[in-house]
């Protein structure tokens, strides 16, 4: 988005995709805020970082990770008993695409 600005229509379109209702005031506010954010990103993209080494962490701390072990994996039937609807081992949820969601 070199010289482009985000439009109110684009903000409203993204909000509708996220199934969010925006007031006129909120749409104007988000258009202004997102425009400023995009301006900062554009300015950062113009910075020459050719000779700068990548920095993954500014501290010398190391993350200690534990083994990923499943606990209580045998409780799938108890989980399915808590679900409003299920079929076999799957939980059924309402459709949210193609206009299937309730307002």
């Amino acid at each position: 988005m070199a010289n482009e600005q985000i439009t109110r229509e684009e903000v409203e379109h993204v909000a509708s995709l996220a199934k969010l209702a925006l007031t006129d005031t909120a749409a104007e506010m988000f258009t202004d805020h997102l425009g400023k954010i995009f301006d900062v990103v554009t300015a950062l993209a113009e910075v020459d970082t050719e000779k700068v080494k990548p920095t993954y962490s500014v501290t010398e701390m190391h993350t200690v990770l534990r083994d990923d072990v499943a606990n209580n994996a045998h409780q799938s039937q108890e989980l399915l008993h808590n679900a409003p609807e299920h079929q076999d081992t799957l939980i059924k949820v309402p459709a949210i695409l193609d206009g299937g969601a309730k307002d």
Side-chain angles (χ1 to χ4, degrees):
M1 290 189 79
N3 292 325
E4 296 179 41
Q5 290 292 319
I6 189 164
T7 66
R8 179 181 171 141
E9 290 76 24
E10 291 169 325
V11 170
E12 290 173 343
H13 176 68
V14 171
S16 71
L17 292 174
K19 296 194 180 275
L20 299 173
L22 294 181
T23 63
D24 288 338
T25 306
E28 287 297 324
M29 180 196 67
F30 284 120
T31 302
D32 180 56
H33 288 191
L34 287 170
K36 290 177 182 176
I37 291 169
F38 288 157
D39 288 344
V40 169
V41 170
T42 300
L44 288 174
E46 295 171 359
V47 174
D48 180 18
T49 59
E50 188 66 33
K51 296 180 182 176
V52 177
K53 291 182 181 179
T55 303
Y56 301 101
S57 176
V58 294
T59 66
E60 294 297 323
M61 296 176 63
H62 299 283
T63 304
V64 178
L65 300 176
R66 63 175 174 76
D67 290 336
D68 189 11
V69 178
N71 293 320
N72 300 324
H74 61 280
Q75 295 182 354
S76 61
Q77 289 305 313
E78 287 82 0
L79 172 67
L80 291 173
H81 288 296
N82 290 325
E85 284 188 72
H86 64 87
Q87 179 178 353
D88 300 325
T89 59
L90 305 175
I91 297 174
K92 294 174 99 176
V93 296
I96 59 169
L97 302 176
D98 300 325
K102 296 178 182 176
D103 292 327

